[in-house]
Amino acid sequence: MLYENRFWVGTGEQPVFLLPQMANRHGLIAGATGTGKTVSLKVLAEGFSQMGVPVFLADVKGDLSGMVEVGQHSDSIGKRLVQCGVPSFQYCDFPAVFWDVYGKHGHPVRTTVSEMGPTLLSRMLGLNDTQAGVLSILFRIADDEGMLLLDLKDLKAMLAYVGENARQYTLDYGNISSATVGAIQRAIGVLEDEGGDGFFGEPALDIADWLQLSGDGKGVINILAADELFQHPKMYSTFMLWMLSELYELLPEAGDLDKPRMVFFFDEAHLLFNDCSPALLEKLEQVVRLIRSKAVGVYFITQNPCDIPMSILGQLGNRIQHALRAYTPLDQKAVRTAAQTFRANPSFNTEEAITQLKTGEALLSFLDEDGAPGVVERAMILPPQSSMNAISDELRAQELSTSCFAGVYDEAIDRQSAYEQLAAAFQQQTTWQPAWQATPVMQSAPQVSTAAPTVTKPQGFMVFDPATGGYVQRELPQMTAASQPTPTLQTAPVQQMPSVQQTAPVQQMPSVQQMPVMVFDPVTGQYKQQMMAMQLDPATGNYVPAAQSTAPSASRAMSARELAQQQAAAEKAAKEAARAEKERQAEERRKRNDELREERAARARKNDSVVGRIQNTALNTVTREVTKTLTRSIMGVFNKKK
C-alpha cells in the first residue's frame, strides 16, 4: 500500500517501508508452502502499480487474476488491519492485461526462433553440449545464407537441409553428424507435443507493450496465465529468462531513478536454476547484475533461499522471509543460511524466529536511503486491496475483449521464411527429375525399331543447328558403311519432336528439359546425338537452348529470387545496425569506465607524488601534535587531582 510516497509492506514494532528509489535493487520472497508468499507478492505488485510502475508476474495457481476485481472486506482482513495499525484502507481494483503462451486464457505470446537464440533454445529442448553446438552451427548457416528462422517448421526444414548437405558445411562450420541432427529433431517433436510450436511465430511480442500505464496513472499489471505452462518446467523457466533478456536488450541505461521502470516477479524461481548449464547461469548472473542500471527490479519467489545460487542471492537487497520448516538436518542448515543473510536485530533471534513465524507474518529487510541493508524486522504483512479469489471465465473474456491489445496478437502470421524457401527449391528439383527419367512426352512417338538398317535412307532429319539456334531440315551426307549411325541413332525419336510440340500441352512440360538432339559436327561432317538443355519458346513455338529462351516465366522467377535476396539483405542490414548500436553503447560504457579509472589513477599519482607525500606528512604531524597536547592536558588534570 502506498503511504506518504513510501511503500508500506508490513508492521512489526513499527511500520516497515520499501523505498521506491531502492526497488530496482531486486528482491526475494521466500517461505514454505502456505506461509503467505502469494499475499506478499500481491501486496508488492499492487504497491508498484500505485506508484505508476508496470509489473509482470506469472499466475501459476490462477488466484492472481483477482487483481482486476475490488477486494471484499472480511473479519480476518479487519483483524490484520488492526494488528498492522493501518489508519485508512481502501479496497480497489488494478489495471491488468492477461497473457498466455497457449492463447487460451490471455493474449498469445510469441517470439521467433531467431530472437530466442541457440543458447536458450538448447535449454528449452534439453540438448547436451554437442547437440547445442550443432544447433549454433545451424543458426550461423541460416544467417549466412539469408534463411529466416521464424517458427519450428523453419527450424526443422533447416535441420533437414543441413543434415543432407553436412559434407559441404563441415570444413567451414564444424562437424555435423546425422545422429545429432536426428536427436535435435526428436527434441523438437517433444516440444511440439507440449504445445511449444504455438510459442514460436509471428507476430512476435513487443516487450515495450508491457511498459504501459492506465488512464489514472497506475502501472499496468501484466499477468501471464502459467497454470499449463508450469507443467513444463524447462519451457516455463526458459520463457521467463527470455523475457528478462529482452528487457535488458530493449531498455537504455537509466542509472538511479526515483522509481523503477518495471518490476519483474519470477515465481517458482527454483525451476530456473535446476539443471542450469554454466553458460546459461553466467548469462543469468550478468542480466541480474546489469539490468538494475536499466531501472528494472527482479523479484524471485521460491520456497527456500538456498534454491538460488549465492552469486545471485547476494544481489537481492530487499527480502521478505516467511516461515521455514526445519524437520531434517538439511532444513536446519537452510534455516541457518537464511538467518545469516539478514542484518541482526538485538530484540530477537533471527534463526529461531524463522521457524516460529505465523501465516502472514514475515521477516522484512529493505535497503535504506543510503543503500545499506536495514535491520531485520518481524512484521505482519498488510492485506491486498484487490480480490483474493480467481476471476470467472466471463470476466476474463470481457477483460480480453476490452484490452488495448485485442486483435493485435490473436491471429498468427506465416510469412516467407526458411521453410518456404527450401520447399520451393525442393519442388523445383522433384518437378524436373521425373520428366527426364520417365520422358512421358515420348509415349505418343512411334515405336522405336530395333531392326537392322535398310538400304533406303531418309532424305533428311529435323536437327538442331548451333548456327541458327533452332531446328532445320538437313540432308545427310553420303556415309560409308563404317561411318553409318547405329540403329538407335537412325530411329531416335527426335524426328517426331515437331509432332510432340503440337500435341503435348506446354503447361505440363517442365520449363527446362534435357533432350536428345541431332547436332551437325562440322569437323567430322556427320550428325551426332547429344543431350542438351532445351526450353520451349512461346514466341516462336520452337525449342531453343535454355539460355536463349525469352519466356516471361524465367524473368518472373528471377525477380522473385531477387526480391527474396533483397528482403534477406534488408533484414541482415537491420541486424547489423542493431549490433552496431549495441557495440556503440558498449564502447561508451568502456570509455566511461576508462575515465573513472583514470581519475582514480590521477588521485593515486597525486598522493604518491612529492607534494602529496608532504601534505600527508604535514597532516599526520598536525594530528600527532594535537593528540599529544590533548593527552598532556588530560594527564595534567589527573595529576592535579592526586
Side-chain angles (χ1 to χ4, degrees):
M1 186 178 74
L2 201 61
Y3 183 77
E4 296 181 354
N5 296 325
R6 293 183 299 174
F7 190 178
W8 192 355
V9 180
T11 303
E13 296 180 356
Q14 57 185 358
V16 183
F17 296 94
L18 172 62
L19 301 180
Q21 64 269 26
M22 293 296 168
N24 65 333
R25 263 63 172 183
H26 311 318
L28 172 68
I29 302 176
T33 301
T35 56
K37 296 192 301 297
T38 301
V39 173
S40 299
L41 188 155
K42 292 189 68 171
V43 171
L44 290 180
E46 292 175 355
F48 286 123
S49 179
Q50 288 178 331
M51 290 182 193
V53 178
V55 176
F56 174 86
L57 51 86
D59 189 5
V60 175
K61 295 180 291 186
D63 51 356
L64 297 180
S65 59
M67 290 185 174
V68 298
E69 285 187 316
V70 179
Q72 300 296 324
H73 185 75
S74 63
D75 295 339
S76 60
I77 293 179
K79 182 179 179 181
R80 181 174 294 192
L81 291 175
V82 173
Q83 290 177 338
C84 295
V86 180
S88 61
F89 188 81
Q90 182 180 1
Y91 295 97
C92 61
D93 57 354
F94 294 87
V97 177
F98 294 98
W99 304 89
D100 187 2
V101 171
Y102 302 101
K104 298 178 181 179
H105 305 295
H107 301 298
V109 180
R110 301 186 189 89
T111 186
T112 62
V113 174
S114 299
E115 290 179 353
M116 176 67 71
T119 302
L120 293 180
L121 188 59
S122 297
R123 173 177 172 79
M124 183 176 288
L125 296 175
L127 305 182
N128 57 32
D129 294 341
T130 302
Q131 296 162 357
V134 172
L135 189 63
S136 299
I137 291 176
L138 183 140
F139 272 74
R140 292 198 297 271
I141 294 175
D143 187 50
D144 293 343
E145 297 193 0
M147 297 285 187
L148 295 179
L149 299 178
L150 302 181
D151 48 24
L152 289 185
K153 72 175 186 297
D154 292 332
L155 184 62
K156 292 165 62 178
M158 197 66 191
L159 276 170
Y161 169 73
V162 171
E164 292 178 355
N165 302 274
R167 293 185 178 179
Q168 302 178 11
Y169 297 110
T170 298
L171 294 179
D172 294 332
Y173 296 92
N175 188 34
I176 304 172
S177 66
S178 58
T180 303
V181 172
I184 300 175
Q185 291 281 27
R186 290 195 300 271
I188 295 175
V190 174
L191 182 62
E192 289 177 329
D193 294 339
E194 295 177 352
D197 52 342
F199 174 58
F200 294 99
E202 290 185 322
L205 174 68
D206 186 359
I207 300 294
D209 290 341
W210 287 351
L211 306 175
Q212 303 291 331
L213 299 179
S214 63
D216 56 356
K218 291 183 178 179
V220 175
I221 301 176
N222 299 276
I223 302 176
L224 175 69
D227 51 346
E228 185 175 352
L229 180 63
F230 182 71
Q231 304 300 322
H232 312 291
K234 286 189 177 180
M235 186 174 176
Y236 169 75
S237 59
T238 307
F239 170 77
M240 302 290 279
L241 181 56
W242 165 76
M243 288 187 292
L244 274 180
S245 302
E246 287 294 308
L247 282 173
Y248 175 73
E249 295 180 0
L250 171 69
L251 298 177
E253 293 288 336
D256 293 329
L257 303 179
D258 295 336
K259 59 183 180 181
R261 285 175 172 170
M262 185 178 183
V263 175
F264 186 95
F265 289 93
F266 199 140
D267 200 0
E268 302 296 340
H270 65 280
L271 297 176
L272 178 60
F273 306 104
N274 290 343
D275 302 328
C276 188
S277 64
L280 190 60
L281 182 59
E282 182 181 358
K283 180 177 181 179
L284 179 59
E285 292 177 3
Q286 179 186 13
V287 171
V288 173
R289 291 174 185 272
L290 301 181
I291 203 172
R292 182 204 61 80
S293 62
K294 307 293 183 77
V296 175
V298 182
Y299 287 73
F300 296 93
I301 299 94
T302 186
Q303 294 188 8
N304 196 324
C306 296
D307 295 335
I308 300 177
M310 290 299 174
S311 58
I312 296 179
L313 189 63
Q315 306 296 320
L316 311 182
N318 303 304
R319 301 192 180 187
I320 300 178
Q321 178 65 62
H322 288 273
L324 291 177
R325 312 305 180 199
Y327 299 123
T328 65
L330 186 61
D331 295 338
Q332 295 172 2
K333 181 179 179 181
V335 170
R336 287 194 298 270
T337 302
Q340 292 171 359
T341 59
F342 289 102
R343 182 179 172 184
N345 190 331
S347 61
F348 61 89
N349 187 307
T350 305
E351 184 175 345
E352 293 180 357
I354 291 179
T355 60
Q356 298 172 359
L357 294 172
K358 298 179 293 185
T359 301
E361 193 178 14
L363 299 181
L364 305 181
S365 177
F366 302 130
L367 299 178
D368 58 17
E369 295 179 353
D370 298 328
V375 176
V376 61
E377 296 286 347
R378 183 171 180 173
M380 182 66 68
I381 304 296
L382 268 65
Q385 298 172 269
S386 60
S387 175
M388 294 287 295
N389 302 320
I391 62 176
S392 61
D393 294 339
E394 292 76 11
L395 181 57
R396 185 185 293 270
Q398 180 181 353
E399 291 289 333
L400 291 176
S401 61
T402 58
S403 170
C404 59
F405 301 109
V408 177
Y409 297 103
D410 296 341
E411 296 296 332
I413 300 175
D414 188 12
R415 63 188 177 105
Q416 186 177 13
S417 53
Y419 173 80
E420 286 75 15
Q421 292 174 328
L422 294 174
F426 178 75
Q427 288 178 357
Q428 291 179 0
Q429 293 178 1
T430 54
T431 303
W432 297 342
Q433 293 299 329
W436 317 151
Q437 296 172 4
T439 59
V441 296
M442 299 302 178
Q443 294 178 0
S444 59
Q447 296 293 330
V448 177
S449 175
T450 59
T454 60
V455 178
T456 305
K457 300 181 178 59
Q459 297 298 320
F461 282 92
M462 290 293 296
V463 297
F464 176 75
D465 187 359
T468 62
Y471 285 97
V472 295
Q473 185 80 19
R474 286 287 183 89
E475 292 185 0
L476 294 177
Q478 296 295 328
M479 302 180 186
T480 62
S483 63
Q484 287 183 1
T486 62
T488 304
L489 294 179
Q490 289 185 359
T491 58
V494 180
Q495 58 185 351
Q496 300 296 332
M497 189 58 67
S499 63
V500 172
Q501 297 180 20
Q502 298 173 3
T503 59
V506 177
Q507 59 271 19
Q508 297 179 359
M509 296 285 291
S511 58
V512 179
Q513 300 187 60
Q514 293 287 341
M515 294 185 176
V517 297
M518 296 290 293
V519 180
F520 179 74
D521 188 356
V523 177
T524 60
Q526 298 179 359
Y527 289 88
K528 62 179 181 180
Q529 183 183 22
Q530 71 179 39
M531 301 295 294
M532 294 189 64
M534 305 292 293
Q535 186 171 7
L536 180 64
D537 189 352
T540 61
N542 294 326
Y543 276 89
V544 296
Q548 300 180 7
S549 174
T550 60
S553 60
S555 62
R556 287 196 298 271
M558 181 61 68
S559 62
R561 288 194 299 270
E562 291 177 352
L563 181 61
Q565 293 174 356
Q566 292 176 359
Q567 183 180 4
E571 294 181 355
K572 188 172 183 180
K575 291 182 180 179
E576 292 294 335
R579 188 180 298 109
E581 178 63 19
K582 292 181 181 179
E583 292 178 354
R584 185 189 65 79
Q585 295 177 359
E587 183 64 25
E588 292 180 355
R589 290 194 297 270
R590 286 194 293 270
K591 289 182 179 179
R592 178 56 182 166
N593 294 333
D594 293 341
E595 292 175 358
L596 294 176
R597 284 194 294 270
E598 184 62 29
E599 291 177 1
R600 290 193 294 268
R603 289 195 297 269
R605 288 193 298 269
K606 181 179 179 181
N607 293 332
D608 195 43
S609 63
V610 176
V611 177
R613 291 179 180 178
I614 293 174
Q615 292 177 351
N616 294 335
T617 303
L619 183 61
N620 294 335
T621 303
V622 171
T623 303
R624 285 194 299 270
E625 292 298 330
V626 171
T627 303
K628 289 179 180 179
T629 303
L630 292 175
T631 303
R632 292 192 189 100
S633 301
I634 294 172
M635 295 301 296
V637 172
F638 280 109
N639 293 331
K640 289 179 180 180
K641 289 182 179 181
K642 290 180 179 179

